[in-house]
Amino acid sequence: MTATTNHLRTALGDTLLSVREAVDTLGVTPWWTRRLIASGDLRAINVGGPDKSARWRVAPEDLAAFIRSRENRSRDLLR
């Protein structure tokens, strides 16, 4: 974990997930997760800055909203 990531986690109350953490939750590849971010399907924050490569962070509630948007039927029907 980088110093920037540690600082973000401290400043924001440990609320942002790295792409790797989002990948582990979604069960897809890092490439696919970055593609979802690039297309706007998965909301994320670029903490890399304008002169650096992108370093994306995802809020857990945005990841949960993405997962809910992909459900093909209501949870009420699964009982």
Side-chain angles (χ1 to χ4, degrees):
M1 197 175 303
T2 66
T4 302
T5 304
N6 284 334
H7 179 70
L8 276 173
R9 288 178 183 277
T10 301
L12 296 172
D14 199 32
T15 59
L16 297 177
L17 304 172
S18 67
V19 169
R20 173 54 59 192
E21 292 166 322
V23 162
D24 292 343
T25 301
L26 294 172
V28 297
T29 65
W31 177 87
W32 188 252
T33 302
R34 287 185 181 91
R35 179 97 169 98
L36 291 170
I37 292 168
S39 69
D41 290 331
L42 177 58
R43 289 184 59 192
I45 300 166
N46 179 2
V47 297
D51 297 334
K52 299 177 182 174
S53 62
R55 289 187 302 191
W56 295 103
R57 299 295 180 263
V58 179
E61 52 272 6
D62 290 332
L63 187 58
F66 171 78
I67 292 168
R68 278 192 308 274
S69 75
R70 295 298 197 249
E71 290 178 345
N72 62 358
R73 62 175 156 163
S74 171
R75 289 195 177 275
D76 294 337
L77 296 175
L78 297 177
R79 289 187 209 179

